[in-house]
Structures are given as structure tokens and as C-alpha cells.
Amino acid sequence: MTGRTAVTMTYAELPNKLVSAANGIDYAYREAGDGGVPLVLLQHFRGNLDNWDPALIDALAPGRRVVTFDNTGVGGSSGETPDTVGQMARDAIAFITALGLGPVDILGFSIGSFVAQQIALIRPAIVRRMVLASSAPEGAAGMHGWAPEVIGAVGAPQTSPEGYLGVFFTRSPASQRAGQEALRRMYARTEDRDTPTTWETREAQYDAVCTWGIPDHSLLQRPTCIQVPVFVANGDSDPMILPHYSHLLAGLIPQARLKIYPDSAHGFLFQHHAEFARDVDKFLARPGDGKAA
Amino acid sequence: MTGRTAVTMTYAELPNKLVSAANGIDYAYREAGDGGVPLVLLQHFRGNLDNWDPALIDALAPGRRVVTFDNTGVGGSSGETPDTVGQMARDAIAFITALGLGPVDILGFSIGSFVAQQIALIRPAIVRRMVLASSAPEGAAGMHGWAPEVIGAVGAPQTSPEGYLGVFFTRSPASQRAGQEALRRMYARTEDRDTPTTWETREAQYDAVCTWGIPDHSLLQRPTCIQVPVFVANGDSDPMILPHYSHLLAGLIPQARLKIYPDSAHGFLFQHHAEFARDVDKFLARPGDGKAA
């Protein structure tokens, strides 16, 4: 369970690993690819290692070390899930430090994108570039908690494929088909699956989401000090975090680029995994020119 | 010089009209098209009636009354150009009122888009929908005055076609060709041209632009109370008002839609006049559903 993984292994086949961090937490993680600046992924609400679409990780991995992990208290990691984005960021930094990684690229998705912003704010030296997928700045008006149909679907004690498909994919036949394919890829792995996330994780994470969404215009100034290049991406029909907030975030972060993907919802990065991975590749590879776009 | 203009007359042929407003100013204006909610256009820095690309007005006019005018002190209008966006907005309201127009649609371009925002803030009842072309919210960091090459080109005592093409169009052959065609259309009219704008207008308007750009994060809260649907549009390579600020504005205004036009600069709405007019048509015609996008 130590050492690096060969590039030829797909995400669905990667072993679960554990690393003990200085904060006393044992973090579950997987590593794909090799070389370059490591890309660390921060997962969505209630997600564990198995909730990354293997097609996306496999598209990102060539030429790059990609690390997925469970933050404190989530899935196979020990400890108790914290109820603030601030503590989640400290914990993610502890994991990155435990792996001995220097400045990394970060891809944060949904609540993971809030954690990514917070990492860039409290420990800028650890971040080279950042991808914020389905994100929003802290304090933005109108995002205090998710719409009833959204939290009703993905926040229920027992979640269902239908609920997932209704939030992560649009109603179009193309998007629904893409969703079913993503689910199939995520559930193809039958052995050594990650530990399911608990109700305690759900409650703590949703507390953190609601806290992040308490409206406070002054907090919108926070991301204006993020100096690294940032790629902000969203589905055009995301019901969980509206593209409106991606516009706002891209307008607040000085060096931000923005792309809104068509006919897609919260799971746009799984639905459009090939295109999104190409866009991420291009963004991470481009010279840092300090130009806003 | 009274009455409405036939739809068959192109913008280049329209007579200059004058209307006396309650504030004592005689406003120069032109009217194209007929029917529907009137669309009032607010012009860019140093521009007069002749600086609207006739191709754009002719594309907007079918089925709609389109009104262009010189604000106080500009071109053929009397008075002294004010040096604040606030006063420009009061003056524009005086003009709209003088024409007896009820709620109107407003298309503000560059400094005209600042005036449009201010109108929507101080007299919301007069605005049905709003198009903000090459716009930015008051107080946004990093836009205090234009870049030296921009103000050097369009702010010089004597402007030139080269300076205009360098700011309003990109360096690509396609954009430069579009710029030359737009200039040709604007200068095709030889009789009854509008009065050129003065150096006093240039100074007052640039004072207003610099004042609008004094950084103040708290002022970003202003557009969050704009309740009408807004279409925010920009060229992807606008050197005068970066698309970054369109992202920000679209993220602050609750009911905003955003489109960034490819390979275009400050004059994206002239370069892409057919596509932009179609987008404006669609935006003004769509049901007001209150959904941010």
C-alpha cells in the first residue's frame, strides 16, 4: 500500500491507501498518474473516494499525479467531520503536508471548492493553481441552504440514483444518459470500495454549507486577494450552486477564467469529463501571465 | 422634424431631432423603428449620434422604437457635460421624460452602461429591461482609469481611426476588417452629421469614469438591488473594460445573463452586430422568469 501507482492502472482499480497526519487523523486516499505538479481533489457533499467518476480521473491522470482523499471524518478517514469550511481547510492542509507534497494544484468540487478557496486564503504558499467546480464565494446573497428539491434529493437519509441524477444531471435525455453512464462507472468497482459516508458527515457538511451561505456582502471581498490563477467552471443548469455564483466568483478573483458547460447540472465535470479534463489540462499548463479573462 | 420615422429609413438617413426637457436642456436625438417598448441607447466615451454603427441600429429597429441621443453637453445637445455618472443619469431621465416615454428598455454601452445602472438604481420604475455592454460595477478594484495605451488612443485631443481600431477591435485580421467596415458605415453619412464632441466633454466624461473606478468594495453591493432582467455583454479581449468586470456585474445583479463574444474588443457590439442584435431581441422578448443564469 505504499509507493506510487503505475499510470496504466485505472481509477477503478487503484488501492485505497492510508496516511497518518500530524493532527492525529488517518486519511484514506488514492493516487493516479505520475509526474508534474500534484493535483489534489476535494470532494462534494457526502462524497467519498468512490464518488469521483473514474472517467474523469483517468482523463486527468496522464502526465500528472492525481490524489483523491477523504477529509477528516469522511468515508475511510478517521476522526469527526467538522462543521465549518475553515476546519475542513486546516484538515486538508494536514493531509497534503502528511503526503509531503509541495505547492499543489487543487480541484475543488462543490463544498470541496469552498474548502479550496479557504486553503488558498489561509495557506497561499501551498497552492499553485486552482480549479473551482460548482463554486460560490462565502457570504453571497441567496445561497443560504439549497433549494428544497435539492436538499430533499441529495440530503435524504437514504439517497437514490434518481435523486442523484436529478441534481447532478439535467432532464435532457443526453444528460440523463451521461448520468447513468457515470453511475455505472462509479459502481463498477466491487472490491475494496471506500467506507460509506455517515449521517453525521451529512449533518456536519450541511451545517458548513449553510454557514458559508449566510449572506454578508463584506465577505465577498475575501476572494479578491487570491493571487493564483483560477479556473471557475459550472454547469449551465446546476440547481445546487447556480452559475450566477460562478460569474460572481470569477469577477472577484483577479486571475480567474470562467467556463459554463452546456446542458449540464452539478455533475457537469462527469458529464463532460473529456472536455473538462482538456480544459483543466490547458489551464494548468498555460503560462502564468497575470491576465484576467 | 416631428413625428415618427418610417421603418424603411436606415439609421444613416435619419434626421437629427431636438427636444426641450424640463431641466432646460435641448437634447439631440434620432429615432428608428416603431412599436413595442422603446429601446433607449446610452453612448460610449466621447461618442455622439454618429458613433452608433448604423448596422447595429438597423438590426435592432425592426418591430421596435430605438432612440439614440446626446446626453447633456454632448454633441448636438445643449448644456455642459457633467463630470459624474450620477448627474448623467438624472439628465438621461430628463430626456426620457421629455419624450414622454413610459418604462423603457435601456442599452448602455461603456460609460453609457454606468449611466444605465445608475438610472436603474435611482428610478427603477423607468426601466423594464437593461442591456449592459462593456460594463463594470462602481467601485470594482483595478479599474481606476483606463490603461495608458487605451486612454492614449481614445483620449487624445485628436483621435484617429488607428487609435479607434486599436481599442474597439482586436488585432486579428477579421476584427480589424470588421472595424474598418464599421467606420465606413459610420462615416458614410455626409449631410446633417451630429456636432462633434468637445474637449470639455472628454475631460468631464473621463473624470466621471475615474470617479466610478475609485475602488470601494462596499459599493459592489449597489447592483444587487437591481430587480429587472439584465443582459451583460462584452468582447473577450476588451482592453478598455475587461470581461472580468462583466463576470462580476453578472454575479452581482440577481437576474443577469452573461455573454462574452469571441475575438472582439470594446466594439464587440458593432463587430458582431447581427448576432448581438439577435441576442438582444431574444433577451428583450423572453418571459421574465426571475431565474438567474
Side-chain angles (χ1 to χ4, degrees), chain A residues 217-222 224 236 242-258 292-293, chain B residues 217-222 224 236 242-258 292-293:
Chain A
H217 178 80
S218 70
L219 294 181
L220 296 185
Q221 196 166 8
R222 290 166 23 104
T224 65
D236 67 351
L242 306 181
H244 180 73
Y245 298 109
S246 286
H247 295 155
L248 182 54
L249 198 53
L252 291 168
I253 297 173
Q255 292 195 64
R257 284 146 203 87
L258 172 68
Chain B
H217 178 80
S218 71
L219 294 180
L220 296 185
Q221 198 166 5
R222 289 166 25 103
T224 66
D236 68 349
L242 306 182
H244 179 72
Y245 298 109
S246 287
H247 296 154
L248 182 55
L249 198 54
L252 291 168
I253 297 173
Q255 292 196 65
R257 283 145 202 89
L258 172 69

Side-chain angles (χ1 to χ4, degrees), chain A residues 83-165:
Chain A
D83 63 0
T84 65
V85 170
Q87 188 56 46
M88 291 173 190
R90 285 182 213 106
D91 290 350
I93 291 169
F95 165 73
I96 292 167
T97 306
L99 276 195
L101 303 178
V104 295
D105 293 331
I106 291 182
L107 189 164
F109 176 23
S110 195
I111 189 177
S113 76
F114 304 165
V115 178
Q117 290 178 54
Q118 187 69 15
I119 293 171
L121 291 172
I122 67 174
R123 184 74 64 89
I126 216 172
V127 185
R128 191 191 70 113
R129 295 192 179 189
M130 196 157 60
V131 180
L132 301 176
S134 299
S135 197
E138 185 178 6
M143 48 158 236
H144 182 240
W146 288 317
E149 65 274 18
V150 170
I151 190 64
V154 300
Q158 295 297 328
T159 56
S160 67
E162 293 70 28
Y164 180 84
L165 289 172

Side-chain angles (χ1 to χ4, degrees), chain A residues 228-264:
Chain A
V228 297
V230 174
F231 174 39
V232 177
N234 213 159
D236 67 351
S237 307
D238 188 341
M240 200 160 191
I241 303 184
L242 306 181
H244 180 73
Y245 298 109
S246 286
H247 295 155
L248 182 54
L249 198 53
L252 291 168
I253 297 173
Q255 292 195 64
R257 284 146 203 87
L258 172 68
K259 182 166 176 177
I260 307 294
Y261 292 74
D263 184 29
S264 57

Side-chain angles (χ1 to χ4, degrees), chain B residues 117-170:
Chain B
Q117 290 178 54
Q118 187 69 16
I119 293 172
L121 292 172
I122 67 173
R123 184 74 63 90
I126 215 173
V127 184
R128 192 192 68 113
R129 295 191 179 191
M130 197 158 58
V131 181
L132 301 176
S134 299
S135 197
E138 185 179 6
M143 48 157 235
H144 182 242
W146 288 319
E149 63 274 18
V150 170
I151 189 64
V154 299
Q158 296 296 329
T159 55
S160 68
E162 293 71 29
Y164 180 84
L165 290 173
V167 171
F168 281 64
F169 297 85
T170 75

